[in-house]
Amino acid sequence: MEQIAVLGAGSWGTALAMVLADNAHSVRLWGQRPEQIKEINEKRTNEKYLPGIQLPEGITGYSSLSEALEAIDTAVLAVPTKAIREVLRKVKQCLRQPITIVTVSKGIEPDTHKRISEIIEEEMGTLLQDVVVLSGPSHAEEVSLRHPTTVTVSSKNMTAAERVQDLFMNSQYFRVYTNPDLIGIEIGGALKNIIALAAGITDGLGYGDNAKAALITRGLAEIARLGCALGANPLTFSGLAGIGDLIVTCTSVHSRNWRAGHLLGKGNPLDEVLQSMGMVVEGVRTTKAAHQLAKKLNVKMPITEVLYDVLFNGKDPKEGADSLMARMKTNEMEDLINILEK
Ligand SMILES: NC(=O)C1=CN([C@@H]2O[C@H](COP(=O)(O)OP(=O)(O)OC[C@H]3O[C@@H](n4cnc5c(N)ncnc54)[C@H](OP(=O)(O)O)[C@@H]3O)[C@@H](O)[C@H]2O)C=CC1
Ligand SMILES: O=C(CO)COP(=O)(O)O
């Protein structure tokens, strides 16, 4: 049994805290709002993020970050990507010893184009023992119901990844694999949110399963193109953090990215959609980063390009979908052949 801090008491941080508590670990769940922590400790609920769920006794809520981090070896970082640098700067001030950070957030930073593990390395410096990425098809709502779920962990140090695999592995409902392709795991998890937004839009426009299957398949092709240009192993995209997460996010009403896309497809403006969600929609920020990266690396990402115009340049979603269908004819396998020949 270990003492583990989970930083971020949103849907994913709370669901992962439940997995760790079910595995008999003692979990310190840190959140920035004292009234939410009071609810967690007194009512054993987190109604805003996981309505109707009873939290196990092994979770204790903390509103003091230094108390949550006192004498711990491992912290799970579960805040939206745009808050990561701010939270890590506070974490550093509280630490006296290097720790292992398990990152579960999905995104790429606009402008720097850094993956989350790279941001953590940069911010933490010598106070970082190891960084381990946990990713895969895993809606918090279903994990909190203890429905069967599979994820993958990766790290530059696979011994650290295996330790995190052991911490989270629960033979009843949470199965954890390892994969040494850190870049592929992070890129798959980040970019699937772009495609989920697009899938929500086509559903909002009233298109059917053919359009959805096309987006998932061609979305995977452009995720793999960018991932491979960044050094990922193409096989990773056929795994849990690739096609697995793409399927779960593009086809589930639990997905905030899909839901936001659905509202956009119905004609609602982006700012109103984001305000109405009440939870993070990572795909919007990641679309900006991927659009920049695709230009920089000269990688074709037609779905990302069109979504960028819909989100940031006022393009009509229906015109966006039409423009994807009107593209020049091409060979479906061209890019795969190029990748395999390299
Ligand atoms: N939900 C899911 O099913 C999954 C989510 N993820 C990823 O996990 C990450 C977190 O997502 P999720 O938990 O769903 O997001 P939510 O929107 O459900 O919760 C976000 C949490 O982060 C906190 N937070 C936001 N900004 C700050 C800040 N500046 N300082 C401290 N805390 C902050 C929020 O606090 P407050 O309530 O006070 O605003 C809240 O507790 C995302 O990158 C997401 O892509 C990955 C897999 C599954
Ligand atoms: O990453 C997720 C499932 O694996 C959650 O997706 P959303 O952020 O779209 O809800």
Side-chain angles (χ1 to χ4, degrees):
M1 191 203 93
E2 282 198 34
Q3 291 230 325
I4 300 165
V6 175
L7 310 181
S11 16
W12 197 213
T14 307
L16 288 173
M18 290 179 70
V19 177
L20 292 168
D22 283 353
N23 288 352
H25 300 298
S26 169
V27 184
R28 300 179 190 167
L29 179 58
W30 172 77
Q32 61 179 351
R33 286 180 294 114
E35 71 278 12
Q36 183 203 24
I37 296 305
K38 192 166 182 279
E39 180 200 336
I40 288 171
N41 288 335
E42 290 178 5
K43 297 192 179 152
R44 314 300 309 156
T45 58
N46 185 357
E47 280 300 321
K48 176 176 179 197
Y49 291 108
L50 291 176
I53 297 295
Q54 199 64 27
L55 303 179
E57 288 306 316
I59 298 175
T60 307
Y62 283 74
S63 51
S64 158
L65 188 57
S66 56
E67 284 174 22
L69 289 167
E70 199 182 330
I72 62 106
D73 295 325
T74 306
V76 177
L77 185 59
V79 293
T81 54
K82 74 171 183 338
I84 280 181
R85 287 190 189 273
E86 179 195 328
V87 172
L88 287 178
R89 284 170 196 169
K90 291 181 187 157
V91 166
K92 266 179 87 171
Q93 287 171 2
C94 302
L95 290 177
R96 287 194 214 102
Q97 73 293 346
I99 59 167
T100 292
I101 294 188
V102 182
T103 165
V104 300
S105 306
K106 293 174 178 173
I108 303 173
E109 190 171 54
D111 305 325
T112 69
H113 310 144
K114 286 193 193 291
R115 291 175 280 110
I116 307 307
S117 68
E118 295 177 304
I119 295 173
I120 293 171
E121 285 175 348
E122 184 178 298
E123 290 292 338
M124 294 296 290
T126 54
L127 283 169
L128 185 68
Q129 182 92 44
D130 288 294
V131 56
V132 177
V133 173
L134 183 150
S135 190
S138 50
H139 287 305
E141 294 82 353
E142 295 185 7
V143 171
S144 71
L145 291 169
R146 299 179 173 86
H147 287 178
T149 300
T150 50
V151 297
T152 304
V153 289
S154 187
S155 175
K156 284 182 183 166
N157 175 2
M158 286 308 286
T159 307
E162 282 161 18
R163 193 176 77 79
V164 171
Q165 178 182 36
D166 287 338
L167 290 177
F168 281 95
M169 188 92 172
N170 178 299
S171 60
Q172 273 164 14
Y173 71 98
F174 204 78
R175 185 165 173 77
V176 186
Y177 292 80
T178 57
N179 181 334
D181 179 18
L182 181 61
I183 298 176
I185 296 295
E186 288 193 274
I187 293 298
L191 299 190
K192 60 86 187 175
N193 285 332
I194 299 174
I195 308 302
L197 273 167
I201 289 177
T202 57
D203 282 330
L205 288 169
Y207 296 147
D209 298 339
N210 296 354
K212 179 82 66 75
L215 272 175
I216 292 175
T217 315
R218 298 310 299 162
L220 187 65
E222 69 183 64
I223 290 173
R225 275 200 294 270
L226 186 65
C228 291
L230 292 166
N233 179 343
L235 286 176
T236 297
F237 301 107
S238 65
L240 292 170
I243 185 69
D245 213 355
L246 199 51
I247 292 171
V248 94
T249 321
C250 291
T251 62
S252 170
V253 289
H254 292 313
S255 165
R256 285 81 48 93
N257 287 282
W258 179 89
R259 289 209 311 265
H262 192 246
L263 290 169
L264 288 170
K266 292 252 176 243
N268 298 284
L270 179 62
D271 52 347
E272 283 177 25
V273 168
L274 294 181
Q275 251 180 2
S276 72
M277 296 296 298
M279 293 189 203
V280 66
V281 180
E282 290 282 15
V284 174
R285 195 167 184 257
T286 305
T287 300
K288 197 173 267 177
H291 168 81
Q292 293 170 346
L293 261 176
K295 277 212 157 36
K296 183 171 137 190
L297 300 174
N298 198 21
V299 172
K300 271 188 286 172
M301 299 190 77
I303 301 168
T304 304
E305 294 308 319
V306 167
L307 183 67
Y308 181 85
D309 282 340
V310 170
L311 295 178
F312 302 113
N313 292 329
K315 192 182 189 87
D316 175 64
K318 163 100 176 54
E319 276 174 29
D322 289 349
S323 70
L324 282 171
M325 293 306 291
R327 291 174 61 240
M328 293 271 286
K329 64 183 184 178
T330 181
N331 174 343
E332 182 188 11
M333 293 296 160
E334 189 181 298
D335 303 302
L336 187 60
I337 293 163
N338 289 340
I339 288 167
L340 293 177
E341 278 176 353
K342 272 188 197 161

